[in-house]
Amino acid sequence: MTKERGNPSELFNSVQYGFSQAVAASGARVVSVSGQVAWSADQVLVGGGDLHAETTKALENLRVALRSVRAELDDVISLRIYIVDYKVEESESISRALKAFFPEGKEPTATWVGVSCLANPDFRIEIEAMAVVADPETQF
């Protein structure tokens, strides 16, 4: 499987925020992961009120969901991030978490969407993902 990241100089430097402008991938399986939030397995909010802590827990949950279908964060090509009442000054909290989980050269694409609410009024952030996995032998 191959992944090619496009970060042309004609566009702003998105890598500094933890994501790429474009990712092309080829592989045998496409994995779609439902939006992950900062809930523990027993539905306790982790880091409530701290956007960086909630983002970190949501990304940890994303990693767990991916591994349940034999995929890894390295396989992620695209994220959609929903942020309640998003303010630009909060971007550093999210970017810092993205860079910790997707190091330089591994950044997926990302779309950040400010929303008025999520499924639970305590959630501040929800992150969904698409991954491409090289796995030609797997049959479902």
Side-chain angles (χ1 to χ4, degrees):
M1 184 196 46
T2 61
K3 286 189 215 77
E4 177 183 2
R5 286 168 175 78
N7 290 295
S9 60
E10 296 86 1
L11 299 176
F12 78 93
N13 178 10
S14 62
V15 172
Q16 69 182 329
Y17 299 109
F19 64 95
S20 292
Q21 292 289 350
V23 177
S26 63
R29 292 190 301 138
V30 174
V31 176
S32 180
V33 181
S34 292
Q36 298 299 307
V37 296
W39 256 358
S40 65
D42 55 351
Q43 299 182 338
V44 172
L45 185 64
V46 174
D50 178 337
L51 188 56
H52 180 262
E54 286 191 45
T55 303
T56 297
K57 180 60 177 168
L59 290 167
E60 288 170 356
N61 289 346
L62 175 62
R63 180 172 41 212
V64 170
L66 286 163
R67 287 180 174 168
S68 76
V69 292
R70 296 174 316 285
E72 296 291 338
L73 288 171
D74 282 357
D75 299 316
V76 172
I77 62 167
S78 183
L79 299 172
R80 190 164 293 123
I81 305 170
Y82 303 95
I83 310 128
V84 174
D85 299 327
Y86 176 67
K87 296 168 190 60
V88 174
E89 54 271 14
E90 297 174 316
S91 65
E92 192 277 332
S93 294
I94 298 166
S95 293
R96 192 164 24 111
L98 288 174
K99 288 189 247 182
F101 284 83
F102 299 100
E104 187 174 338
K106 304 287 186 175
E107 303 92 347
T109 64
T111 299
W112 298 21
V113 182
V115 297
S116 61
C117 66
L118 294 167
N120 180 308
D122 294 332
F123 298 156
R124 287 282 327 277
I125 191 161
E126 184 169 344
I127 304 172
E128 65 180 67
M130 180 170 291
V132 176
V133 182
D135 196 358
E137 303 298 320
T138 301
Q139 301 277 324
F140 286 102

